[in-house]
Amino acid sequence: MFLLLRDLRRARRDAALPRGPRGALQLRHVDAGSCNGCEHELGAASGPAYDLSRFGISITASPRHADVLLVTGPVTGGMRVALERAYEAMSEPRLVAALGDCALGCGPFRRSPEAAGRLEDVLPVDVRIAGCPPSPDAIAAGLIPLLDRRAGAG
Ligand code: SF4
């Protein structure tokens, strides 16, 4: 019974997601100064309930293997160079995703002296996933269309 309910919930969630993804997508996640709320939701999106790997989306440890640089948090002064180096290490075509309101506009840290700015001020951003933090559904809905975009570029 429990399994049936879980499968039903998953089927409902999947029905609301964008259709027709192809190929696979490797994400290199960089925490540029997050409070870890966005990482919590990213972990949930990768876990068994949402399971982004079903769509061919997984997280890689190296930017050299990554298709997408997925950034959380406001860009702090201490992380700016590390972020730029991760981007430079990626091969073309490469995409950048801003995950959460902090990456989009510094969120609650906008007046912090540690915040160097929005992700957009440092790197070209291809996809914006809003929320504080974004839900696993929002993360999936933001990332899945990149499969088609990536397939089109390849
Ligand atoms: S968007 Fe919200 S949850 Fe994510 S890092 Fe910023 S404050 Fe934390």
Side-chain angles (χ1 to χ4, degrees):
M1 183 65 173
F2 172 73
L3 281 178
L4 284 174
L5 272 175
R6 192 192 67 187
D7 292 345
L8 186 62
R9 285 193 192 117
R10 179 183 270 196
R12 281 197 185 134
R13 275 200 310 267
D14 289 356
L17 291 171
R19 308 292 261 171
R22 295 181 295 271
L25 208 61
Q26 295 272 315
L27 312 173
R28 169 64 177 138
H29 169 234
V30 173
D31 172 355
S34 162
C35 76
N36 283 343
C38 285
E39 282 69 21
H40 187 274
E41 298 306 300
L42 181 59
S46 308
Y50 291 89
D51 195 9
L52 277 181
S53 63
R54 286 179 296 143
F55 302 99
I57 299 174
S58 55
I59 294 177
T60 179
S62 170
R64 296 186 195 285
H65 301 156
D67 307 301
V68 180
L69 188 62
L70 180 67
V71 183
T72 53
V75 181
T76 59
M79 282 301 293
R80 183 175 182 140
V81 171
L83 197 55
E84 288 170 339
R85 283 192 183 147
Y87 182 71
E88 283 161 17
M90 294 169 70
S91 55
E92 297 277 5
R94 58 193 167 182
L95 297 167
V96 176
L99 179 63
D101 289 350
C102 284
L104 291 171
C106 295
F109 302 113
R110 75 177 60 84
R111 290 194 182 83
S112 167
E114 305 300 328
R118 304 173 303 165
L119 178 59
E120 205 150 21
D121 298 328
V122 180
L123 296 175
V125 174
D126 299 285
V127 63
R128 295 161 180 81
I129 304 171
C132 181
S135 66
D137 281 330
I139 294 171
L143 293 177
I144 288 171
L146 293 182
L147 285 159
D148 281 340
R149 194 160 158 182
R150 168 84 179 159

